[in-house]
């Protein structure tokens, strides 16, 4: 596929990510994350939820005053007062969301779909009066009837919305359902379509990429995938997949590890070692077979060069280490040992590994020194 496809990344770390249990970014932390997202080439930064507090609005204003290349958006409920708060923040975009599923209409709002749409349109009109560009989002779209979605999206287009948006709020979509839904939504209006997909069943990345293939313009992400519950499509997975599998070259993916570490630190949410792209184990090799092959050609067991994501290759030694790998690693560090020492070193490494004691390349050199 060509890299010229129309595409925008809207990153939600600062809004949805902050809704993760226990997470609160200071205005300074928000600013730092926004700057790094901008340096990575993210097109839209959802900076926060203006109605939350005056501190939140101060943080958003700090970001809008930076004059970043990215457009800055804020999330609003379908309430005029939320739009008024957004107007204090100097935003480019506001996103107005309204739930369209029967279960949300009944138990959250206690109103009809027509009343919900009327609220969204009133908020949209107010936002247009302020001069905002507006994305109108159907919350829980994937559990909503097509009739309800059609009413919201068509009304939004008639009232001057700039983008319509599909939220898989509970993360229940499959890739094939994502394709079918996005194609259907695209045909309803002439507006660009955004997708905001959650990861409850581990499919947010797959669903988002399928939506892209199906014509969605704006893809929502968050760094390390943080967000409500199991979170959202991780920025790092989406950007690397776009680059590797779809030929999209315009994002500076080499920032991803740094961005991930920053968000890990500020959010207090640890990244799993086996997390795709940025997890500590993604470029760490232990098994003898893998290490030996990688030393001949890294492409044997690495899907892409680690530098592309700002990662580093690492070798560790343990239970699965083989003689051959030890020999090659030592030779690469200028150490040539005889067969007997090699055997002893390998046995020692395996023994430590079985006791769950990790052995790094430096430890390996120490072991050799002691044997000699
Ligand atoms: C929420 C709202 C939202 C909004 C999605 C969007 C969702 O439930 O907190 O901006 O399109 O997932 O529906 O995050
Ligand atoms: Cu969400």
């Amino acid at each position: 596929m060509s890299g010229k496809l129309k595409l925008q990344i809207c990153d939600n770390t600062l809004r949805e990510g902050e809704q993760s249990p226990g997470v609160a970014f200071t205005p300074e932390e928000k600013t730092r994350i926004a700057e790094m997202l901008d340096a990575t080439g993210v097109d839209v930064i959802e900076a926060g939820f203006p109605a939350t507090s005056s501190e939140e609005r101060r943080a958003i204003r700090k970001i809008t005053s930076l004059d970043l290349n990215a457009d800055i958006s804020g999330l609003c409920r379908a309430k005029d007062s939320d739009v008024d708060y957004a107007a204090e923040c100097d935003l480019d975009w506001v996103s107005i969301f309204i739930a369209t599923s029967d279960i949300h209409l009944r138990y959250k709002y206690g109103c009809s779909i027509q009343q919900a749409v009327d609220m969204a349109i009133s908020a949209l009109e107010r936002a247009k009066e302020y001069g905002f560009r507006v994305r109108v989002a159907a919350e829980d779209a994937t559990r909503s009837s097509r009739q309800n979605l059609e009413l919201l999206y068509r009304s939004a287009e008639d009232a001057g919305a700039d983008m319509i948006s599909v939220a898989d709020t509970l993360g229940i979509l499959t890739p094939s359902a994502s394709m079918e839904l996005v194609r259907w939504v695209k045909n309803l209006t002439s507006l660009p379509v955004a997708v905001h997909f959650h990861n409850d069943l581990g499919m947010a990345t797959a669903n988002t990429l399928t939506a892209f293939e199906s014509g969605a313009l704006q893809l929502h992400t968050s760094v390390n995938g943080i967000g409500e519950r199991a979170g959202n499509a991780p920025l790092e997975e989406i950007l690397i997949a776009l680059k590797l599998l779809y030929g999209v070259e315009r994002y500076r993916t080499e920032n991803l590890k740094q961005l991930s570490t920053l968000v890990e630190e500020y959010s207090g949410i640890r990244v799993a070692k086996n997390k795709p792209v940025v997890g500590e184990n993604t470029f760490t090799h232990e098994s003898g077979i893998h290490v030996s092959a990688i030393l001949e050609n890294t492409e044997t067991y690495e899907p892409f060069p680690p530098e592309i994501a700002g990662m580093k290759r690492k070798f560790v030694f343990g239970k699965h280490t083989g003689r051959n790998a030890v020999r090659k690693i030592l030779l690469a560090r200028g150490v040539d040992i005889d067969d007997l020492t090699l055997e002893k070193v390998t046995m020692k490494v395996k023994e430590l590994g079985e006791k769950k004691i990790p052995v790094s390349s430096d430890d390996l050199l120490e072991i050799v020194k002691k044997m000699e």
Side-chain angles (χ1 to χ4, degrees):
M1 238 181 257
S2 116
K4 293 195 183 67
L5 284 174
K6 285 201 164 176
L7 167 69
Q8 293 178 358
I9 297 294
C10 171
D11 188 85
N12 274 256
T13 310
L14 300 178
R15 195 278 302 169
E16 172 97 42
E18 208 191 22
Q19 281 172 228
S20 311
V23 177
F25 298 125
T26 65
E28 291 65 34
E29 288 169 346
K30 279 202 169 207
T31 309
R32 184 83 191 88
I33 295 170
E35 283 170 336
M36 277 232 63
L37 287 168
D38 192 56
T40 306
V42 160
D43 307 271
V44 183
I45 296 171
E46 190 153 287
F49 205 145
T52 306
S53 66
S54 53
E55 178 74 349
E56 173 80 342
R57 291 191 287 284
R58 193 172 76 80
I60 298 173
R61 272 198 302 273
K62 222 169 162 230
I63 294 169
T64 50
S65 70
L66 293 173
D67 219 8
L68 302 175
N69 285 321
D71 278 352
I72 311 297
S73 78
L75 188 68
C76 295
R77 287 165 298 183
K79 285 183 167 191
D80 291 359
S81 54
D82 275 28
V83 177
D84 293 338
Y85 283 127
E88 293 176 23
C89 302
D90 208 16
L91 294 159
D92 303 299
W93 283 84
V94 294
S95 306
I96 294 169
F97 76 101
I98 187 89
T100 45
S101 62
D102 288 342
I103 184 169
H104 275 230
L105 288 167
R106 173 151 178 213
Y107 292 102
K108 210 168 75 172
Y109 305 138
C111 77
S112 68
I113 180 67
Q114 187 61 59
Q115 285 167 318
V117 169
D118 289 346
M119 289 190 304
I121 299 306
S122 160
L124 162 63
E125 283 167 350
R126 196 168 186 87
K128 292 309 293 182
E129 278 165 27
Y130 280 117
F132 288 123
R133 275 173 287 161
V134 183
R135 174 173 70 88
V136 173
E139 185 188 16
D140 206 15
T142 50
R143 294 194 303 176
S144 303
S145 70
R146 293 296 159 98
Q147 224 179 342
N148 288 3
L149 290 177
E150 185 167 350
L151 183 63
L152 176 68
Y153 292 144
R154 284 200 200 274
S155 310
E157 181 176 46
D158 291 344
D162 299 277
M163 188 177 289
I164 51 175
S165 194
V166 181
D168 183 26
T169 307
L170 296 186
I172 51 148
L173 210 54
T174 62
S176 54
S178 166
M179 175 170 291
E180 192 276 324
L181 180 59
V182 169
R183 284 185 177 162
W184 181 83
V185 173
K186 260 195 76 81
N187 277 331
L188 271 186
T189 75
S190 59
L191 295 175
V193 174
V195 292
H196 174 104
F197 291 165
H198 278 263
N199 203 29
D200 295 71
L201 297 177
M203 289 194 277
T205 298
N207 292 337
T208 302
L209 293 170
T210 309
F212 169 59
E213 287 180 15
S214 312
L217 174 77
Q218 186 177 91
L219 313 182
H220 283 215
T221 62
S222 71
V223 178
N224 299 338
I226 64 169
E228 299 268 4
R229 306 179 312 281
N232 298 63
L235 176 72
E236 56 280 4
E237 293 176 21
I238 296 289
L239 291 193
I240 292 291
L242 285 171
K243 187 184 183 84
L244 251 55
L245 310 178
Y246 298 85
V248 175
E249 292 292 343
R250 74 167 192 259
Y251 298 103
R252 284 176 288 289
T253 54
E254 60 281 5
N255 289 345
L256 286 169
K257 177 61 181 174
Q258 210 189 331
L259 199 44
S260 164
T261 306
L262 198 69
V263 170
E264 186 176 32
E265 195 182 305
Y266 293 164
S267 66
I269 299 177
R270 291 277 154 265
V271 170
K273 283 193 178 182
N274 63 343
K275 164 84 185 60
V277 182
V278 290
E280 197 185 314
N281 283 358
T282 50
F283 290 96
T284 301
H285 310 284
E286 178 187 310
S287 103
I289 301 165
H290 287 220
V291 172
S292 275
I294 279 175
L295 288 169
E296 298 300 327
N297 181 337
T298 57
E299 284 178 30
T300 50
Y301 284 108
E302 285 176 353
F304 57 91
E307 304 77 40
I308 285 184
M311 297 290 289
K312 285 201 179 84
R313 176 176 308 116
K314 211 163 87 185
F315 294 113
V316 295
F317 305 89
K319 183 179 170 181
H320 307 102
T321 295
R323 228 175 282 124
N324 217 355
V326 172
R327 189 204 315 271
K328 283 185 188 168
I329 290 280
L330 288 174
L331 280 177
R333 309 223 10 194
V335 180
D336 194 0
I337 53 175
D338 59 57
D339 285 356
L340 188 62
T341 317
L342 177 65
E343 185 65 28
K344 285 200 286 185
V345 171
T346 310
M347 292 321 286
K348 180 73 186 165
V349 165
K350 282 181 185 285
E351 192 187 303
L352 290 169
E354 276 166 351
K355 288 185 191 145
K356 301 185 201 285
I357 301 170
V359 178
S360 68
S361 303
D362 289 344
D363 297 336
L364 196 63
L365 291 177
E366 279 303 305
I367 293 171
V368 174
K369 253 194 218 159
K370 281 189 190 144
M371 299 250 166
E372 280 171 350

Short mmCIF file of all heavy atoms in Angstrom, two decimals, residues 12 15-16 19 46 75 95 97 135 137 139-140 165 167-169 196 198 220 228, ligand 1:
data_model
loop_
_atom_site.label_atom_id
_atom_site.label_comp_id
_atom_site.label_asym_id
_atom_site.label_seq_id
_atom_site.Cartn_x
_atom_site.Cartn_y
_atom_site.Cartn_z
N ASN A 12 -4.85 10.17 22.34
CA ASN A 12 -5.75 10.42 23.48
C ASN A 12 -5.10 10.23 24.85
O ASN A 12 -5.80 10.18 25.85
CB ASN A 12 -6.92 9.43 23.41
CG ASN A 12 -8.03 9.94 22.53
OD1 ASN A 12 -9.05 10.40 23.02
ND2 ASN A 12 -7.84 9.90 21.22
N ARG A 15 -6.17 12.69 27.53
CA ARG A 15 -7.58 12.73 27.93
C ARG A 15 -8.03 11.33 28.39
O ARG A 15 -8.22 11.10 29.57
CB ARG A 15 -8.44 13.26 26.76
CG ARG A 15 -9.85 13.68 27.17
CD ARG A 15 -10.83 12.54 27.28
NE ARG A 15 -10.98 11.79 26.04
CZ ARG A 15 -11.62 10.63 25.97
NH1 ARG A 15 -12.17 10.10 27.04
NH2 ARG A 15 -11.72 9.98 24.82
N GLU A 16 -8.14 10.40 27.46
CA GLU A 16 -8.56 9.05 27.82
C GLU A 16 -7.52 8.37 28.73
O GLU A 16 -7.88 7.72 29.71
CB GLU A 16 -8.75 8.22 26.55
CG GLU A 16 -9.00 6.75 26.79
CD GLU A 16 -10.47 6.37 26.76
OE1 GLU A 16 -11.20 6.86 25.89
OE2 GLU A 16 -10.87 5.57 27.62
N GLN A 19 -7.88 9.11 32.16
CA GLN A 19 -9.06 8.51 32.82
C GLN A 19 -8.77 7.11 33.37
O GLN A 19 -9.64 6.50 33.99
CB GLN A 19 -10.23 8.44 31.83
CG GLN A 19 -10.93 9.77 31.66
CD GLN A 19 -11.97 9.75 30.52
OE1 GLN A 19 -11.98 10.65 29.71
NE2 GLN A 19 -12.81 8.73 30.46
N GLU A 46 -5.54 15.09 21.65
CA GLU A 46 -6.70 15.38 22.51
C GLU A 46 -6.14 15.69 23.89
O GLU A 46 -5.70 14.81 24.63
CB GLU A 46 -7.68 14.22 22.54
CG GLU A 46 -8.97 14.65 23.22
CD GLU A 46 -10.18 13.87 22.77
OE1 GLU A 46 -10.65 14.11 21.63
OE2 GLU A 46 -10.67 13.04 23.54
N LEU A 75 -12.39 17.22 24.74
CA LEU A 75 -13.62 16.43 24.71
C LEU A 75 -14.73 17.11 25.49
O LEU A 75 -14.49 17.67 26.57
CB LEU A 75 -13.35 15.03 25.29
CG LEU A 75 -14.50 14.02 25.15
CD1 LEU A 75 -14.72 13.63 23.69
CD2 LEU A 75 -14.22 12.75 25.97
N SER A 95 -14.49 17.78 20.48
CA SER A 95 -15.14 16.51 20.18
C SER A 95 -16.35 16.44 21.08
O SER A 95 -16.23 16.55 22.30
CB SER A 95 -14.19 15.36 20.51
OG SER A 95 -12.97 15.56 19.85
N PHE A 97 -19.29 14.12 22.34
CA PHE A 97 -19.72 12.72 22.29
C PHE A 97 -21.08 12.53 22.94
O PHE A 97 -21.43 13.21 23.90
CB PHE A 97 -18.67 11.78 22.90
CG PHE A 97 -18.60 11.78 24.41
CD1 PHE A 97 -19.19 10.74 25.14
CD2 PHE A 97 -17.92 12.77 25.09
CE1 PHE A 97 -19.10 10.72 26.53
CE2 PHE A 97 -17.84 12.76 26.48
CZ PHE A 97 -18.43 11.73 27.20
N ARG A 135 -15.75 17.40 15.90
CA ARG A 135 -15.91 15.97 15.65
C ARG A 135 -17.10 15.51 16.50
O ARG A 135 -17.11 15.74 17.72
CB ARG A 135 -14.63 15.23 16.07
CG ARG A 135 -14.71 13.70 16.00
CD ARG A 135 -13.35 13.05 16.28
NE ARG A 135 -12.92 13.19 17.66
CZ ARG A 135 -13.23 12.35 18.64
NH1 ARG A 135 -13.97 11.28 18.40
NH2 ARG A 135 -12.81 12.55 19.87
N ALA A 137 -19.03 12.43 18.01
CA ALA A 137 -18.73 11.02 18.27
C ALA A 137 -19.93 10.28 18.84
O ALA A 137 -20.57 10.77 19.77
CB ALA A 137 -17.56 10.92 19.25
N GLU A 139 -20.79 7.51 21.13
CA GLU A 139 -20.24 6.63 22.16
C GLU A 139 -21.01 5.31 22.12
O GLU A 139 -22.20 5.30 21.83
CB GLU A 139 -20.39 7.29 23.54
CG GLU A 139 -19.75 6.48 24.65
CD GLU A 139 -20.07 7.02 26.05
OE1 GLU A 139 -21.01 7.81 26.19
OE2 GLU A 139 -19.37 6.62 27.01
N ASP A 140 -20.31 4.22 22.37
CA ASP A 140 -20.93 2.88 22.33
C ASP A 140 -21.57 2.61 20.96
O ASP A 140 -22.58 1.91 20.86
CB ASP A 140 -21.96 2.73 23.46
CG ASP A 140 -22.17 1.27 23.87
OD1 ASP A 140 -21.33 0.41 23.50
OD2 ASP A 140 -23.17 0.98 24.56
N SER A 165 -17.56 10.23 14.14
CA SER A 165 -16.64 9.37 14.85
C SER A 165 -17.34 8.16 15.44
O SER A 165 -18.44 8.27 15.97
CB SER A 165 -16.01 10.22 15.95
OG SER A 165 -14.90 9.62 16.48
N ALA A 167 -17.08 5.14 18.15
CA ALA A 167 -16.36 4.64 19.33
C ALA A 167 -16.79 3.21 19.63
O ALA A 167 -17.98 2.91 19.72
CB ALA A 167 -16.64 5.53 20.54
N ASP A 168 -15.77 2.35 19.75
CA ASP A 168 -16.02 0.99 20.26
C ASP A 168 -15.69 1.08 21.75
O ASP A 168 -14.65 0.63 22.21
CB ASP A 168 -15.12 -0.02 19.54
CG ASP A 168 -15.40 -1.46 19.98
OD1 ASP A 168 -16.54 -1.72 20.44
OD2 ASP A 168 -14.49 -2.29 19.89
N THR A 169 -16.61 1.68 22.47
CA THR A 169 -16.38 2.07 23.86
C THR A 169 -16.05 0.89 24.76
O THR A 169 -15.30 1.01 25.72
CB THR A 169 -17.62 2.83 24.37
OG1 THR A 169 -17.88 3.89 23.44
CG2 THR A 169 -17.42 3.41 25.75
N HIS A 196 -12.33 5.32 17.30
CA HIS A 196 -11.80 5.34 18.67
C HIS A 196 -12.12 3.98 19.28
O HIS A 196 -13.26 3.72 19.66
CB HIS A 196 -12.50 6.47 19.43
CG HIS A 196 -12.17 6.55 20.89
ND1 HIS A 196 -11.32 7.49 21.40
CD2 HIS A 196 -12.59 5.80 21.94
CE1 HIS A 196 -11.22 7.33 22.71
NE2 HIS A 196 -11.98 6.32 23.06
N HIS A 198 -11.45 0.60 21.76
CA HIS A 198 -10.92 0.10 23.03
C HIS A 198 -10.40 -1.34 22.90
O HIS A 198 -10.69 -2.03 21.94
CB HIS A 198 -11.99 0.23 24.13
CG HIS A 198 -12.01 1.62 24.69
ND1 HIS A 198 -11.36 1.95 25.85
CD2 HIS A 198 -12.57 2.76 24.23
CE1 HIS A 198 -11.52 3.25 26.08
NE2 HIS A 198 -12.25 3.77 25.11
N HIS A 220 -7.58 6.81 16.50
CA HIS A 220 -7.30 7.21 17.88
C HIS A 220 -6.35 6.21 18.56
O HIS A 220 -6.51 5.00 18.39
CB HIS A 220 -8.60 7.31 18.68
CG HIS A 220 -9.35 8.56 18.37
ND1 HIS A 220 -10.07 9.25 19.32
CD2 HIS A 220 -9.47 9.27 17.22
CE1 HIS A 220 -10.62 10.33 18.75
NE2 HIS A 220 -10.27 10.35 17.48
N GLU A 228 -9.38 3.91 29.77
CA GLU A 228 -10.34 3.21 30.63
C GLU A 228 -10.15 1.69 30.52
O GLU A 228 -9.95 1.16 29.42
CB GLU A 228 -11.77 3.54 30.18
CG GLU A 228 -12.15 5.01 30.26
CD GLU A 228 -12.79 5.40 31.58
OE1 GLU A 228 -12.89 4.54 32.48
OE2 GLU A 228 -13.20 6.57 31.71
C1 LIG B 1 -15.99 7.58 27.12
C2 LIG B 1 -16.04 8.37 25.85
C3 LIG B 1 -15.12 7.87 24.78
C4 LIG B 1 -15.21 8.90 23.67
C5 LIG B 1 -14.77 8.48 22.36
C6 LIG B 1 -14.45 9.55 21.35
C7 LIG B 1 -15.54 6.45 24.32
O1 LIG B 1 -16.73 6.63 27.23
O2 LIG B 1 -15.19 7.94 28.01
O3 LIG B 1 -13.87 10.58 21.66
O4 LIG B 1 -14.75 9.30 20.20
O5 LIG B 1 -14.72 5.53 24.39
O6 LIG B 1 -16.68 6.27 23.92
O7 LIG B 1 -13.79 7.78 25.25
#
